[in-house]
Amino acid sequence: MRWKQPAKLGLLAMALGCTAIGSTLVTSTTLAAPVSASKAVYHQFQTYRTEAAKSTASVAKARKYLMNHIDKVGPWQATLMTLQLENMQNMKLADMDHQMYTEQFQQALSQAHEQLGYEQKLTYSRLLQEIKDPTVRKVLQEASDLGFKLETSEGLYYPIINYEIYQKFKPFVKADIAAYIDIMATESNQMTTADAGIIISWNELIQRILEKEAFLNNFPNSNRTSTVKQWLFVEYLFYGSDNTPVYDWYTDEEIRTMDPEVKKAYEKALAKREPNTESVLLDTMEKILQVLNQNNDELTPEVRAIIEPVQQQFALD
């Protein structure tokens, strides 16, 4: 599947500036230093961000700078800069798409992938060893510098943000963005779908979807709530994808029945449910199984009627 696309710092300064009566000037100065360093890091990053719209190199610099200096700022600044970096990368993603969607690039990648072996992961180091075309090499190097990784689907090669890199930011950002990073890193490390098929197990699919629902329940006002909602994949949970349907057709009748593996995955998720866990999706799976058990696992209008309002509830605004 393609990827189409806070608190106040002043409180920290006040806390650091408040020293006990009798503290020496040296102690006060020592405590104040982190605030000064924090501001310097933040302002340098903002300089890169300002230049990012017209300079790809500035995005690459911002990414490397944040990786090396995020430990020098407070949670509010770390969170803000992490989100700003993601915004910058998304801004450059369309341009990188455009550069990769050329016959020259696609052909070079396809030939290199064949030489390396299709079972091999696409890494920049391997590709740059194999590909000699200077134009293609330049695009690959730029994609690497920007923090993208390469994916392939339906014979096309394209970039996505490599969220595994963001794992380094987790100890320094607020709880909602740390959880968001986990969600997005899971997707970028192993995509949910490819070539119109679900390429992870049903158990893994359900786990990912429930984690996203939990995020929406725990952080309804997060800056990234709408993004997580985009990745919820309720349609996959209840109907599957074109090449990996939840309900299979009988060969000679207009009847569809649930894939036994999907049913087992539903049952496993419900069995693992912790007491008092709020989950519309688990509630829905339970209702569906009750109907299926009475109808030989057949997709009936009653099952569709259970699913429809849940699809509407999680639909994008």
Side-chain angles (χ1 to χ4, degrees):
M1 179 197 54
R2 290 301 314 279
W3 295 43
K4 297 300 180 193
Q5 311 211 87
K8 297 292 183 184
L9 179 62
L11 294 176
L12 176 61
M14 288 173 59
L16 292 173
C18 293
T19 57
I21 296 175
S23 295
T24 65
L25 181 61
V26 173
T27 302
S28 180
T29 303
T30 302
L31 288 171
V35 178
S36 180
S38 176
K39 286 182 178 179
V41 169
Y42 180 75
H43 287 307
Q44 179 59 62
F45 183 85
Q46 296 308 313
T47 299
Y48 290 136
R49 187 174 74 89
T50 302
E51 298 168 351
K54 48 188 177 181
S55 170
T56 297
S58 291
V59 180
K61 289 177 182 177
R63 184 178 73 85
K64 291 178 181 178
Y65 187 79
L66 189 59
M67 290 178 66
N68 292 326
H69 294 85
I70 194 169
D71 60 336
K72 298 178 178 66
V73 300
W76 175 76
Q77 289 176 315
T79 299
L80 180 58
M81 290 190 291
T82 296
L83 297 181
Q84 288 174 336
L85 175 61
E86 184 190 29
N87 290 341
M88 284 187 274
Q89 288 181 301
N90 276 318
M91 177 181 67
K92 293 299 181 182
L93 202 54
D95 179 59
M96 187 56 61
D97 264 342
H98 182 73
Q99 292 186 61
M100 290 188 179
Y101 281 176
T102 64
E103 184 177 351
Q104 180 183 8
F105 184 90
Q106 295 293 322
Q107 190 174 47
L109 264 288
S110 180
Q111 291 173 351
H113 202 179
E114 183 178 8
Q115 288 295 320
L116 293 169
Y118 289 116
E119 74 283 356
Q120 299 293 326
K121 287 188 177 181
L122 290 172
T123 65
Y124 292 109
S125 58
R126 287 174 178 167
L127 289 170
L128 288 169
Q129 286 175 359
E130 189 68 31
I131 294 171
K132 306 306 178 187
D133 185 317
T135 302
V136 176
R137 289 175 61 85
K138 180 176 180 294
V139 173
L140 287 173
Q141 187 60 61
E142 187 173 299
S144 176
D145 292 343
L146 288 171
F148 298 145
K149 63 180 288 192
L150 290 172
E151 286 290 336
T152 180
S153 178
E154 299 180 357
L156 287 176
Y157 297 88
Y158 57 88
I160 65 171
I161 295 174
N162 184 3
Y163 282 96
E164 185 61 29
I165 295 170
Y166 281 69
Q167 294 283 8
K168 183 171 182 178
F169 304 153
K170 276 180 56 183
F172 310 104
V173 299
K174 293 191 174 182
D176 62 321
I177 301 308
Y180 172 74
I181 288 170
D182 278 337
I183 287 171
M184 299 304 284
T186 297
E187 291 292 342
S188 72
N189 289 341
Q190 172 63 70
M191 303 296 284
T192 297
T193 64
D195 300 329
I198 295 170
I199 58 174
I200 57 176
S201 70
W202 288 108
N203 290 327
E204 174 70 12
L205 176 72
I206 292 171
Q207 180 181 329
R208 290 188 186 191
I209 291 172
L210 293 177
E211 286 172 355
K212 291 162 190 168
E213 183 191 21
F215 179 95
L216 298 179
N217 290 338
N218 293 332
F219 309 109
N221 299 315
S222 171
N223 187 276
R224 289 301 188 257
T225 294
S226 61
T227 304
V228 171
K229 203 172 185 181
Q230 241 180 333
W231 288 86
L232 195 58
F233 304 141
V234 169
E235 187 78 14
Y236 293 159
L237 176 62
F238 295 131
Y239 291 116
S241 66
D242 289 345
N243 292 335
T244 317
V246 168
Y247 298 90
D248 289 327
W249 292 98
Y250 276 128
T251 55
D252 56 354
E253 298 181 53
E254 292 296 308
I255 297 174
R256 299 182 69 181
T257 58
M258 178 176 263
D259 182 326
E261 290 301 315
V262 181
K263 188 173 185 180
K264 287 179 186 177
Y266 274 31
E267 291 169 342
K268 183 175 181 180
L270 289 166
K272 290 169 59 179
R273 184 177 192 172
E274 296 289 337
N276 303 318
T277 300
E278 292 186 15
S279 171
V280 170
L281 298 178
L282 283 170
D283 291 343
T284 305
M285 284 189 279
E286 186 172 17
K287 292 175 185 176
I288 289 171
L289 287 179
Q290 289 172 355
V291 175
L292 292 174
N293 288 336
Q294 297 170 2
N295 294 278
N296 299 314
D297 293 342
E298 182 181 340
L299 176 60
T300 63
E302 187 178 355
V303 172
R304 292 185 184 276
I306 293 170
I307 295 171
E308 184 176 356
V310 181
Q311 286 180 300
Q312 293 175 353
Q313 179 177 341
F314 289 98
L316 296 175
D317 299 329

